[in-house]
Structures are given as C-alpha cells and as structure tokens.
C-alpha cells in the first residue's frame, strides 16, 4: 500500500490550488492573524485560471484587470504569493512584476524570496532552487525569473510569461497628467513588447481606481468582448461591482467588514 506523508500531501494540495498555498504560507511573511474574507479565495481562483493557461502554454483567454481598495491583501496575493506559487508548478516561468515605485517593487520581491527560502517552502518544494536573489531579479535553477521594476522603468532585454502590474499609480500623484501619461504609455507601449509569446502572455493589472483616465480606464477603452476580464470590488456595494453576482457576497453593504468597516 502506498503511504503518502503529510508533507507530500500538503505540498500537493498547495501546488494544485493557489488559495490553499496562500493559506498555508501566509504566516511566513505576515505575523498578524489572517482574516479569510471571501474576496481572497475569489481572487485566488481568478488568478489561478489565468496562470494555469500559461503553465500549459495555451493562448490566453483574456487579460485580467482587478480593481479593489487598498489594504485588501492585493499585493500579497498578486506580487508576492503568485510568483512563488507558479514555480511549484513550473520552475521555468518568468514574471515581470511592476509597481509605481522601485523601492516598493523591491520590497515585494524580497517577500517572494522570503517565502521561497522559508523552511516550509523548502520542505514542500525542494525541487525549486533559487540560484540568484539580487535586489530586482530572482532566478530559479530551471531558468524561471521574477523581475521587479517600476512603472516607466527599463525592462530592455527582459521578457515574461506573466506581466503582473500592481498599483501602477502613486495615489498622491494620480491627479498629475504627467504621471498618468507615464503610466499609461509604459503599459500600452513598453509592456506589450516584453511578452515571451504575445498569444500566451497575459497582463494582470491590480489597482485601486484613482482617476477617470487611469490605466484601468485606458485598458478598458482598448478592449472589446472577452479580451479583458474586469473584476471590480469597491469597499461598499454598488452597481460598479463586477461581476454583478458578487454583490450578494457583501455583508451589510461592505466588501470586507473587518478590513474596511464603516468607520
């Protein structure tokens, strides 16, 4: 009879489901007790659907734009946990991860490294070996990469299977036309040239809405039909919730009554 150890079983569950990975590795980077609001599992599922097509090298079905309030674990999910989880399934995946400021991008990269070098990760996924952990570039022994960059920064010579952009605008500068133009031009002109395969590589954009002409708005203008999947989870329930069926998940009109209460 085949006996599977508890560690191997847990590793298999984490590898198969991104949400399970997030739950088991939360404590490796965040000391506070987690609050597992419904939106976390939902976003994990949306991210996994996009990434699994990349792992299988299938043409993307759509790019993904997620709008959600700050303080909703968006960076932890997209910029920190997702690149670490991807490597448990495919160590060759290369990701380009961008944020509005380079110090922020570097910090998020350091959190991914912390997960991959944690005792639990090494025990569950000993096959994932990091051979380079420079400030902006993390590499696996199989050629996988996680490149950290800032919006407007140079990514010359680098290409990704995944483009993950987390808050491309600084909230304090969102009303600046120059900052808006820089973010929108970088995303529409520079990023598309950084795809390993234009048919396969998806764009994942996650941000709080800050302006009527911000990158989400510009992305929606240029897409038709199913080329873009738009998830919008405002703090308070409204007609802007997308998909609309998620309005029933709000509690007393709130998306997350613990993190974002009425007060």
């Amino acid at each position: 009879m085949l006996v599977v150890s508890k560690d191997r079983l847990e590793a298999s569950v984490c590898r198969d489901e991104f949400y399970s990975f997030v739950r088991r590795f939360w404590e490796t980077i965040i000391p506070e007790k987690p609050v597992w609001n419904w939106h976390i599992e939902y976003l994990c599922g949306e991210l996994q659907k996009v990434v699994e097509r990349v792992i299988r090298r299938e043409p993307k079905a759509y790019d993904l734009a997620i709008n959600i309030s700050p303080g909703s674990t968006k960076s932890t999910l997209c910029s920190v946990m997702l690149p670490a989880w991807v490597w448990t399934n495919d160590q060759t995946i290369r990701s380009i991860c961008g944020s509005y400021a380079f110090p922020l991008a570097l910090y998020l990269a350091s959190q991914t490294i912390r997960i991959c070098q944690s005792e639990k990760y090494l025990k569950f996924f000993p096959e994932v070996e990091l051979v380079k952990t420079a400030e902006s570039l993390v590499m696996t022994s199989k050629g996988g990469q996680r490149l950290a960059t800032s919006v407007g920064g140079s990514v010359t010579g680098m290409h990704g299977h995944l483009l993950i952009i987390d808050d491309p605008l600084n909230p304090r500068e969102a009303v600046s036309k120059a900052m808006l133009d820089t973010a929108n031009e970088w995303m529409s002109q520079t990023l598309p040239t950084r795809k390993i395969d234009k048919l396969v590589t998806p764009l994942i954009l996650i941000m709080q809405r800050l302006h009527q002409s911000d990158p989400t708005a510009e992305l929606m203008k240029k897409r038709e039909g199913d080329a873009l999947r738009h998830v919008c989870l405002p703090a308070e329930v409204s007609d802007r919730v997308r998909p609309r069926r998620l309005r029933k998940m709000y509690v007393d009109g709130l998306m997350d009554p613990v993190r974002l209460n009425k007060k």
Side-chain angles (χ1 to χ4, degrees):
M1 182 176 68
L2 179 64
V3 178
V4 180
S5 70
K6 181 181 177 181
D7 287 346
R8 287 184 61 188
L9 181 60
E10 280 201 68
S12 178
V13 170
C14 288
R15 189 180 289 111
D16 290 344
E17 184 185 59
F18 180 42
Y19 180 57
S20 293
F21 179 90
V22 169
R23 289 186 67 97
R24 283 168 172 79
F25 283 87
W26 180 275
E27 63 182 14
T28 63
I29 56 170
I30 301 175
E32 287 78 21
K33 184 178 179 180
V35 178
W36 299 114
N37 194 58
W38 64 270
H39 77 280
I40 297 178
E41 183 174 9
Y42 176 78
L43 292 182
C44 285
E46 289 294 312
L47 293 166
Q48 180 166 342
K49 283 187 288 187
V50 172
V51 169
E52 283 183 335
R53 295 185 71 91
V54 177
I55 292 172
R56 296 192 297 265
R57 301 302 192 272
E58 295 176 355
K60 66 177 181 179
Y62 47 76
D63 289 327
L64 178 63
I66 300 171
N67 298 140
I68 194 167
S69 302
S72 303
T73 73
K74 61 182 178 57
S75 295
T76 299
L77 295 181
C78 287
S79 296
V80 177
M81 295 270 194
L82 190 62
W85 176 74
V86 167
W87 285 335
T88 70
N89 286 276
D90 186 342
Q91 298 165 62
T92 70
I93 293 290
R94 287 179 273 168
S95 303
I96 295 177
C97 302
S99 297
Y100 66 82
F102 194 50
L104 173 59
L106 292 181
Y107 169 74
L108 296 172
S110 73
Q111 295 295 83
T112 298
I113 294 171
R114 281 184 61 190
I115 292 174
C116 293
Q117 293 183 336
S118 68
E119 181 180 350
K120 182 181 291 187
Y121 194 94
L122 294 173
K123 181 169 62 175
F124 282 10
F125 314 110
E127 69 279 7
V128 181
E129 180 185 2
L130 301 188
V131 295
K132 182 180 179 66
T133 56
E135 281 190 327
S136 61
L137 182 61
V138 184
M139 297 179 63
T140 73
S141 60
K142 302 296 185 182
Q145 297 178 2
R146 185 203 186 283
L147 175 69
T149 186
S150 60
V151 170
S154 174
V155 284
T156 302
M158 305 300 291
H159 295 81
H161 297 98
L162 288 169
L163 305 180
I164 303 170
I165 309 303
D166 177 3
D167 274 341
L169 278 176
N170 185 333
R172 290 175 295 181
E173 300 174 343
V175 296
S176 164
K177 185 178 186 304
M179 293 297 101
L180 281 170
D181 289 347
T182 295
N184 288 330
E185 288 175 11
W186 186 77
M187 290 195 59
S188 65
Q189 298 179 24
T190 302
L191 273 186
T193 69
R194 301 297 95 198
K195 298 179 179 182
I196 287 177
D197 186 330
K198 289 179 171 57
L199 293 178
V200 174
T201 297
L203 169 66
I204 297 173
L205 169 65
I206 187 162
M207 63 178 292
Q208 57 171 310
R209 290 303 305 272
L210 293 167
H211 194 279
Q212 290 180 339
S213 298
D214 65 17
T216 293
E218 293 302 300
L219 199 60
M220 292 176 68
K221 281 182 188 176
K222 298 173 182 177
R223 303 303 173 94
E224 297 180 359
D226 296 329
L228 178 70
R229 179 159 175 78
H230 182 212
V231 175
C232 184
L233 301 177
E236 293 183 298
V237 70
S238 73
D239 289 339
R240 295 179 179 178
V241 175
R242 295 289 185 277
R244 296 176 67 86
R245 62 182 174 80
L246 295 180
R247 288 185 292 180
K248 67 182 181 181
M249 302 299 296
Y250 280 59
V251 178
D252 296 328
L254 298 175
M255 189 275 290
D256 188 334
V258 176
R259 291 179 178 86
L260 299 167
N261 57 41
K262 287 285 187 181
K263 184 177 180 179

